[in-house]
Amino acid sequence: METKASENDDLIRAAVLIRERAYAPYSRFMVGAALRCNDGSIYSGCNVENAAYPEGTCAEASAIAAMVAAGKRHITEIVVCGGGDAPCTPCGGCRQKLREFGSADLRMRMVGAQGDVKLVRTLSELLPDSFGPDHLDF
Ligand code: THU
């Protein structure tokens, strides 16, 4: 799928770039994620696998960790970049991690290795009726 010029934005470029740094020797499935905060800043991350397989980290989790380490808390948008034909949608665990720092209308764009937009969803579409920090406001 071809990238429309209007969709070739800074967030997509950041996700495509960071994907090249993925450490995925076991699955060989490289993923990059770039998120934008409410102040406009961008944080990105890639997947980091491990010989003890369950210890691997997803790209989205890496990006969230970078954001939190920088003292930020609010995600307004995220781009996930993966290879292959199917859109690389976040795993269930990462959807929940995004729920911690994003609102129901958080825009999530899934793009291919060249930055071509394959799927656009909101967080609530990918994680309906979710449980979040607001539930613990007692
Ligand atoms: N992966 C991500 O980093 N993000 C996703 O959205 C889906 C999957 C990683 C985990 C693992 O390193 C590899 O892709 C194959 O599952």
Side-chain angles (χ1 to χ4, degrees):
M1 202 187 304
E2 201 170 308
T3 307
K4 288 186 208 145
S6 61
E7 289 175 334
N8 183 18
D9 60 23
D10 51 356
L11 207 58
I12 291 178
R13 284 195 295 275
V16 170
L17 265 180
I18 199 80
R19 179 176 173 269
E20 292 301 313
R21 304 219 176 123
Y23 176 72
Y26 307 109
S27 72
R28 307 224 172 263
F29 191 75
M30 300 167 78
V31 185
L35 58 83
R36 197 188 313 276
C37 296
N38 57 336
D39 66 354
S41 55
I42 289 176
Y43 296 92
S44 57
C46 55
N47 54 334
V48 182
E49 297 184 348
N50 193 282
Y53 293 176
E55 297 304 322
T57 306
C58 285
E60 298 89 328
S62 298
I64 289 170
M67 177 195 80
V68 172
K72 310 294 172 64
R73 292 284 187 272
H74 303 290
I75 305 172
T76 57
E77 194 182 355
I78 186 166
V79 170
V80 182
C81 175
D85 290 337
C88 180
T89 47
C91 73
C94 283
R95 294 176 195 201
Q96 184 65 37
K97 288 184 175 81
L98 290 165
R99 169 69 171 87
E100 188 73 17
F101 303 105
S103 57
D105 64 351
L106 166 65
R107 182 164 75 137
M108 309 173 67
R109 286 179 292 168
M110 278 52 76
V111 307
Q114 310 305 321
D116 45 307
V117 178
K118 291 175 178 292
L119 188 68
V120 182
R121 291 284 184 264
T122 63
L123 179 58
S124 63
E125 284 172 332
L126 293 190
L127 192 69
D129 303 322
S130 63
F131 184 87
D134 38 306
H135 289 90
L136 298 178
D137 280 347
F138 47 78

